[in-house]
Amino acid sequence: MNYWLIKSDPETYGWDEMKEDQETFWDGVRNYQARNFMKLMEIGDICLFYLSNKEKAICGEVVISKSFYQDPTTDDDKWVAVDVKFKRTYQKLIYLKDIKETEGLEQMHLVKNSRLSVSPVTPSEYKIISNLEAS
DNA sequence: GCCAACGTTGGC
DNA sequence: GCCAACGTTGGC
């Protein structure tokens, strides 16, 4: 089982919509690096849901409910989508600012390459983030 | 709203 | 195949 971080602009698709839909497909990724990570996602993998721009915080978790398939929003077979299911809302938002200040998280793609919309999270990073949520 | 960082495109 | 120009993203 793997951990990931997926990014969404709340203006496009926010956490409230995710919660209401319960399940949705994650499409529209047009970046090879992100696409390659999506292809590695398996059912049951946990994705941290990050809100860019306005919030700049991780707000909860979703679970992969279907592994990659051709992105239905384009004819171009280069691109893929996955299905994700709502899991839970964090007790508090974990802000980018705090992530940057936390030891052990400075190597995260989110910190080093903020433009990558899908990125892997290591088990130890996941654990540190869980601790931040509980603290 | 600005701008840095990054990816992509296209001319040579 | 190189690299300049351009577009997009996202933090500030």
Side-chain angles (χ1 to χ4, degrees), chain A residues 21 73 112 119:
Chain A
D21 290 346
T73 62
K112 296 185 74 177
S119 60

Side-chain angles (χ1 to χ4, degrees), chain A residues 67-105:
Chain A
S67 58
F68 79 93
Y69 53 95
Q70 154 85 45
D71 188 335
T73 62
T74 176
D75 290 332
D76 195 336
D77 61 12
K78 281 203 298 282
W79 307 112
V80 303
V82 295
D83 286 0
V84 296
K85 212 161 105 186
F86 177 83
K87 189 180 180 215
R88 68 190 189 92
T89 301
Y90 280 173
Q91 295 165 42
K92 62 177 193 188
L93 294 173
I94 299 172
Y95 291 99
L96 179 61
K97 182 173 162 291
D98 297 325
I99 291 168
K100 282 183 168 171
E101 287 171 357
T102 303
E103 208 176 326
L105 297 181

Side-chain angles (χ1 to χ4, degrees), chain A residues 5-118:
Chain A
L5 182 139
I6 56 176
K7 208 182 291 185
S8 185
D9 179 356
E11 303 241 334
T12 313
Y13 192 85
W15 189 238
D16 290 342
E17 288 163 275
M18 183 72 238
K19 216 182 324 188
E20 200 177 307
D21 290 346
Q22 282 295 309
E23 189 162 10
T24 189
F25 58 98
W26 207 257
D27 67 326
V29 172
R30 297 290 182 268
N31 171 288
Y32 286 104
Q33 220 184 335
R35 192 274 316 264
N36 292 340
F37 289 136
M38 284 174 84
K39 287 190 168 181
L40 296 173
M41 289 173 166
E42 290 171 1
I43 292 174
D45 282 0
I46 289 177
C47 294
L48 308 180
F49 198 104
Y50 177 82
L51 298 169
S52 63
N53 293 319
K54 200 155 182 279
E55 299 287 353
K56 281 171 287 185
I58 297 168
C59 57
E61 293 178 357
V62 294
V63 182
I64 301 295
S65 55
K66 188 176 178 186
S67 58
F68 79 93
Y69 53 95
Q70 154 85 45
D71 188 335
T73 62
T74 176
D75 290 332
D76 195 336
D77 61 12
K78 281 203 298 282
W79 307 112
V80 303
V82 295
D83 286 0
V84 296
K85 212 161 105 186
F86 177 83
K87 189 180 180 215
R88 68 190 189 92
T89 301
Y90 280 173
Q91 295 165 42
K92 62 177 193 188
L93 294 173
I94 299 172
Y95 291 99
L96 179 61
K97 182 173 162 291
D98 297 325
I99 291 168
K100 282 183 168 171
E101 287 171 357
T102 303
E103 208 176 326
L105 297 181
E106 51 292 276
Q107 293 302 314
M108 287 185 73
H109 286 259
L110 180 66
V111 175
K112 296 185 74 177
N113 177 9
S114 62
R115 296 192 53 203
L116 191 60
S117 59
V118 176

